[in-house]
């Protein structure tokens, strides 16, 4: 080979390798480890001798990115048969761990490294079953401590669990309604008075046949000793998912309610502000689906503005952008139509610390946990974990966690 041809080939290969090299924003480097991981709340089912599903011990998946690989392991708790939520919790500086909400037995536990899990609250609510269903963390009483607002099944109990200042925890029951399912808790400040409000979604017992299941969204303000107030009257429909966040960037939170369809209808997402009539609510989006049980907000494309992601049952994952005014419909585009699940758990969060959120979705129908990042105006999908043989059960929630808090 002559020198001229060798030189040309060298230049060609150099250019090709440069063009094929991953860009700096192509995701976690193969050499790095991320300081934050994911917690995945699961219900796992096995088939019994009679062919019926048999619940297994409650399980939490832990996904961390270490030295270029996503690594998965799990935590099990034989005291319960489902974890409805698993999340990071640090009641005191340096004393953080992983909080689990179990069902059937209803138990809230705090798991720390090197010690046995601590039971913060256990209760038999006296109904057909007892489950801790959802929780959010906030300084609810304005005393500087991080309290836990809790929703339960099936006696409509809404409660607050908080540190008592001496190493234990107290429980304040805010509400109880017989034969009532409370699906979701959110916390925030819609009226801008710097006092945390709690929002919950009680409904009649679950129905899966598409017939009416009446429900509403209610508010509590424990710091003001304000009990149940209906803020969204949903008639013969109900909501299993709400979101409280300042998505439009006006400095005040808004309440977004995902209203499930009755047979033949569509999912509606309605916006409520502090002064919205409970019989009203502005429809910001609709989906050709029966269920939409996850809404999450963040900055997915790095433009400095918030977007909302809605994960619907069968129609996929949707990106919603606010309109020019609160009364306008939001723009809607599909992120991934090939993603689905009964719950379809999802979260926008910035695990890699680059200032731009990534989207993590549990597509249970595919047995996968997926990561989406926004590049050149489009989402790119990566499967970061596939359940061996598929997922036999449900993913109820996904939450970020600092790696140092994982037991």
């Amino acid at each position: 080979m002559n020198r001229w041809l060798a030189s040309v080939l060298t230049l060609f290969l150099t250019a090709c390798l440069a063009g094929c090299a991953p860009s700096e924003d192509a995701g976690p480097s193969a050499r790095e480890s991320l300081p934050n991981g994911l917690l995945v709340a699961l219900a796992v089912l096995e088939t019994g001798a009679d062919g019926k599903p048999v619940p297994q011990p409650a399980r939490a998946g832990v996904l961390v990115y270490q030295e270029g690989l996503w690594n998965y392991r799990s935590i099990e708790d034989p005291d319960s048969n489902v974890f409805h939520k698993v999340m990071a919790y640090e009641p005191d500086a340096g004393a953080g761990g992983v909080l689990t909400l179990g069902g059937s037995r209803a138990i809230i536990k705090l798991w720390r490294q090197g010690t046995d899990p601590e039971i913060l609250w256990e209760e038999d609510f006296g109904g057909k079953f007892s489950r801790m269903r959802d929780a959010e963390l906030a300084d609810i009483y304005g005393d500087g401590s991080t309290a836990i607002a809790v929703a339960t099944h099936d006696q409509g109990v809404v409660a607050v669990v908080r540190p008592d200042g001496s190493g234990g925890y107290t429980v304040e029951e805010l509400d109880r309604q017989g034969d009532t399912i409370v699906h979701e808790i959110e916390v925030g400040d819609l009226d801008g008075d710097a006092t945390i409000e709690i929002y919950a979604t009680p409904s009649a017992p679950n129905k899966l046949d598409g017939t009416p299941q009446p429900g509403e969204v209610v508010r509590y303000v424990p710091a003001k000793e304000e009990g149940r107030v209906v803020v969204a009257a949903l008639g013969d429909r109900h909501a299993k998912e709400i979101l409280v966040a300042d998505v439009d960037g006006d400095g005040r939170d808004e309440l977004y309610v995902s209203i499930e369809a009755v047979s033949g209808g569509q999912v509606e997402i309605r916006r409520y502000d502090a002064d919205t009539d409970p019989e009203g609510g502005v429809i910001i989006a609709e989906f050709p689906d029966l269920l939409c049980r996850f809404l999450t907000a963040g900055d997915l494309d790095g433009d400095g503005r918030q977007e909302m992601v809605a994960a619907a049952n069968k129609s996929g994952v949707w990106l919603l952008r606010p309109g020019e005014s609160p009364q306008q419909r939001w723009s809607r585009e599909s992120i991934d139509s090939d993603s689905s699940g009964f719950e379809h758990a999802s979260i926008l969060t910035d695990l890699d610390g680059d200032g731009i959120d990534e989207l993590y979705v549990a597509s249970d129908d595919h047995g996968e946990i997926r990561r989406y990042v926004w590049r050149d105006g489009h989402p790119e999908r990566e499967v970061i974990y596939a359940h061996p043989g598929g997922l036999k059960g449900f993913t109820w929630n996904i939450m970020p966690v600092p790696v140092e808090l994982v037991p």
Side-chain angles (χ1 to χ4, degrees):
M1 181 183 297
N2 63 41
R3 291 182 178 180
W4 177 84
L5 181 57
S7 177
V8 169
L9 284 173
T10 299
L11 290 172
F12 173 80
L13 290 172
T14 300
C16 179
L17 289 172
C20 296
S23 63
E24 292 183 1
D25 65 348
S29 164
R31 296 181 299 276
E32 71 176 328
S33 299
L34 298 183
N36 300 297
L38 294 173
L39 296 170
V40 185
L42 297 167
V44 179
L45 307 173
E46 296 290 348
T47 303
D50 59 358
K52 295 181 180 180
V54 178
Q56 301 300 297
R59 186 179 299 175
V62 181
L63 259 172
V64 296
Y65 189 83
Q66 296 174 318
E67 298 180 353
L69 295 173
W70 288 99
N71 296 305
Y72 181 91
R73 63 183 179 87
S74 60
I75 301 168
E76 289 194 354
D77 186 359
D79 285 339
S80 298
N81 60 27
V82 60
F83 282 146
H84 277 126
K85 195 164 193 177
V86 186
M87 60 199 305
Y89 180 49
E90 194 165 7
D92 300 298
V98 169
L99 196 72
T100 59
L101 275 73
S104 300
R105 297 158 54 190
I107 311 175
I108 298 177
K109 293 184 180 182
L110 182 59
W111 304 62
R112 294 186 176 100
Q113 293 181 0
T115 65
D116 292 333
E118 177 185 3
I119 296 176
L120 307 191
W121 184 30
E122 179 178 2
E123 189 69 52
D124 182 351
F125 298 114
K128 183 178 179 181
F129 42 74
S130 291
R131 295 172 181 158
M132 303 295 183
R133 179 58 183 89
D134 191 32
E136 293 290 340
L137 308 175
D139 182 2
I140 292 170
Y141 294 90
D143 59 3
S145 68
T146 302
I148 311 165
V150 184
T152 74
H153 292 176
D154 66 346
Q155 294 301 297
V157 174
V158 177
V160 176
V161 181
R162 58 171 168 162
D164 63 8
S166 60
Y169 293 82
T170 62
V171 179
E172 180 182 357
E173 188 174 301
L174 304 180
D175 205 354
R176 180 182 287 257
Q177 303 177 74
D179 298 320
T180 298
I181 305 292
V182 186
H183 308 275
E184 175 82 355
I185 287 285
E186 284 284 314
V187 293
D189 181 15
L190 265 68
D191 60 11
D193 68 352
T195 301
I196 293 295
E197 305 129 17
I198 298 173
Y199 295 85
T201 61
S203 81
N206 287 338
K207 294 183 178 182
L208 299 176
D209 58 3
T211 58
Q213 181 183 345
E216 57 194 12
V217 182
V218 298
R219 182 189 68 220
Y220 310 87
V221 191
K224 294 182 176 181
E225 299 183 351
E226 181 184 296
R228 185 202 320 156
V229 173
V230 176
V231 296
L234 306 179
D236 65 356
R237 300 170 69 182
H238 73 287
K240 285 188 171 69
E241 171 66 3
I242 55 175
L243 173 68
V244 173
D246 179 17
V247 183
D248 63 7
D250 67 353
R252 286 195 179 185
D253 289 333
E254 310 92 49
L255 167 66
Y256 299 93
V257 181
S258 177
I259 304 170
E260 302 204 338
V262 180
S263 290
Q266 293 195 99
V267 169
E268 291 178 1
I269 299 178
R270 296 183 193 169
R271 169 182 169 146
Y272 294 80
D273 293 288
D275 57 354
T276 300
D277 187 325
E279 300 290 339
V282 176
I283 298 174
I284 63 166
E286 293 179 288
F287 302 108
D289 217 315
L290 293 178
L291 316 174
C292 180
R293 295 183 170 177
F294 269 85
L295 303 176
T296 180
D299 183 8
L300 183 60
D301 56 9
D303 65 356
R305 297 188 295 270
Q306 297 276 296
E307 296 89 33
M308 185 189 300
V309 170
N313 176 214
K314 294 296 184 184
S315 60
V317 184
W318 299 88
L319 177 64
L320 306 177
R321 300 180 191 271
E324 294 297 322
S325 75
Q327 304 303 315
Q328 285 186 336
R329 290 285 181 116
W330 293 21
S331 67
R332 187 189 78 180
E333 60 185 277
S334 175
I335 292 176
D336 191 350
S337 61
D338 187 31
S339 183
S340 59
F342 183 69
E343 288 292 312
H344 214 176
S346 57
I347 188 74
L348 277 168
T349 188
D350 182 15
L351 294 190
D352 58 17
D354 66 353
I356 302 172
D357 291 321
E358 311 93 52
L359 173 64
Y360 299 89
V361 177
S363 183
D364 283 356
D365 289 346
H366 300 85
E368 296 177 346
I369 299 175
R370 298 166 172 177
R371 176 181 187 264
Y372 300 79
V373 293
W374 208 260
R375 296 197 183 95
D376 299 323
H378 301 284
E380 291 187 4
R381 185 178 85 184
E382 172 193 5
V383 177
I384 62 174
Y385 181 71
H387 295 275
L391 177 63
K392 300 175 182 177
F394 303 94
T395 303
W396 290 102
N397 210 278
I398 302 178
M399 293 292 285
V401 61
V403 172
E404 68 268 16
L405 294 186
V406 177

